[in-house]
Amino acid sequence: MPRVYATPAQLAAWTGEPAPPDAERLLARASEDVDDVLLCAVYATTAAGMPTDPAVVQALADATCAQVEYQLATGDDGTGATGRWGSVSIGPVTLGERRDAPAAAGDVDLAPRAHRALRRAGLLPGVIW
């Protein structure tokens, strides 16, 4: 069974908005993204692979909620198929058809706030001492 690090209630508290109808699916996919960037992280877990340290539990919940918030803001449905923007104008500057994507199929487009939550908890860059 996949690990899900946050609940719809936590997502609503994080965003300050009601959780979307598909919050459980979005949180499951965001949890997978968080797992992917934690491949070298070392922390205590239960037999089911869930963290036991309250600080790590909170960091993973925060990172998961930040990832969903980021995906919703960029128009991504959690599949990674949606681009960042089609065109942007700032004063006299116009940029168009930029489509950001992870550098390789296995890379994760991790939300900046998710990255910071994991880094603050000491889970990134995943160095084993």
Side-chain angles (χ1 to χ4, degrees):
M1 177 169 210
R3 293 180 295 269
V4 179
Y5 299 119
T7 65
Q10 288 172 307
L11 178 61
W14 178 269
T15 63
E17 302 286 333
D22 59 345
E24 290 177 1
R25 180 184 65 81
L26 294 171
L27 289 164
R29 291 199 174 158
S31 294
E32 290 173 0
D33 290 347
V34 169
D35 272 347
D36 285 348
V37 299
L38 294 178
L39 289 179
C40 294
V42 177
Y43 54 92
T45 64
T46 65
M50 294 301 287
T52 58
D53 182 311
V56 173
V57 170
Q58 188 63 54
L60 296 182
D62 289 349
T64 300
C65 290
Q67 185 69 2
V68 171
E69 178 184 47
Y70 176 74
Q71 290 172 336
L72 291 172
T74 60
D76 192 347
D77 60 2
T79 65
T82 304
R84 297 253 170 100
W85 45 267
S87 65
V88 173
S89 296
I90 304 170
V93 177
T94 300
L95 305 170
E97 296 310 315
R98 174 180 172 191
R99 301 290 182 202
D100 287 347
D107 290 347
V108 175
D109 183 17
L110 188 67
R113 291 179 71 190
H115 186 269
R116 289 191 302 268
L118 296 172
R119 189 181 68 236
R120 280 191 306 269
L123 298 172
L124 294 178
V127 176
I128 299 174
W129 299 93

